[in-house]
Amino acid sequence: MTTTSTARTAVRTTPRLDALVASVREAVDQGLSPDLTAHLVGERLAPHLGAADLLTPEQREPDPTRYRQHLLHAEHDGSFSIVALVWLPGQGTCVHDHVAWCTTGVHTGEERERRYRLVPAGPGVASHLVATEDVVNPEGAVCGFAPPGDIHKVWNAGEDVATSLHVYGADISRIGSSVRRVYELPADR
């Protein structure tokens, strides 16, 4: 086990996580569009999902009050970061979108996701959200997206702890969060 430095802290890592970081770096360094980068990073992430030697025990620890984010890596040039999100049953996010492209992969358990489309205000109609898709993401599922049009919420509807890896096209150790905006608009569900 080795330790790497991020912009804010030293993070314990595993050889498998080191290999994932190197593979993501290679994909990001190709300089492709955000959508293509998210897709390529997903191809690099998928083989590591479910592997027992990817995360340390500390990086799999949940929080009893809300989902927990463990920063695993922040690239020195700010081009990407990798986090593990650990969800106890019933824990989830608010409706939000992101500051940059994102690739997610379910490492353990199962996550639910509801995707939305923003309907802008018009004559006699207030801005609101329309649910466009409900997705069940089992262990091994990978998804990539880029703004705009990345409005969603995620939660653990299962009975076991769920863990997912998120690769963001930004250094969240510097900016504090991958969330660009929280949506408190009415939604159809």
Side-chain angles (χ1 to χ4, degrees):
M1 190 143 329
T2 59
T3 303
T4 60
S5 286
T6 65
R8 294 187 180 188
T9 62
V11 177
R12 286 183 58 205
T13 186
T14 65
R16 181 178 285 275
L17 181 58
D18 291 341
L20 173 60
V21 168
S23 186
V24 169
R25 180 180 297 124
E26 183 180 276
V28 170
D29 285 350
Q30 291 186 33
L32 301 173
S33 70
D35 285 338
L36 290 175
T37 299
H39 177 77
L40 187 57
V41 167
E43 290 177 348
R44 307 297 174 92
L45 176 60
H48 299 280
L49 297 173
D53 61 342
L54 179 60
L55 302 175
T56 68
E58 297 84 7
Q59 293 164 339
R60 294 189 302 264
E61 284 293 318
D63 181 301
T65 59
R66 60 178 304 247
Y67 72 91
R68 185 167 185 187
Q69 178 175 285
H70 297 278
L71 178 65
L72 303 177
H73 178 79
E75 189 71 343
H76 64 87
D77 65 0
S79 60
F80 71 93
S81 53
I82 304 174
V83 300
L85 297 184
V86 183
W87 320 74
L88 290 174
Q91 293 179 336
T93 69
C94 53
V95 179
H96 65 281
D97 63 8
H98 295 273
V99 298
W101 62 264
C102 177
T103 301
T104 65
V106 179
H107 182 55
T108 63
E110 180 180 277
E111 294 177 357
R112 303 281 174 129
E113 178 185 14
R114 181 164 293 148
R115 298 174 184 167
Y116 294 92
R117 177 176 52 86
L118 177 63
V119 178
V125 178
S127 294
H128 62 282
L129 297 172
V130 173
T132 60
E133 187 175 18
D134 283 327
V135 180
V136 176
N137 296 310
E139 182 176 312
V142 175
C143 173
F145 51 86
D150 60 322
I151 304 169
H152 69 158
K153 69 178 178 179
V154 181
W155 69 98
N156 178 357
E159 297 180 10
D160 298 316
V161 173
T163 306
S164 53
L165 270 70
H166 296 235
V167 184
Y168 299 109
D171 181 350
I172 65 166
S173 72
R174 291 181 191 157
I175 62 176
S177 175
S178 67
V179 174
R180 181 180 70 91
R181 177 178 171 187
V182 171
Y183 290 83
E184 297 178 4
L185 299 172
D188 62 356
R189 59 186 163 119

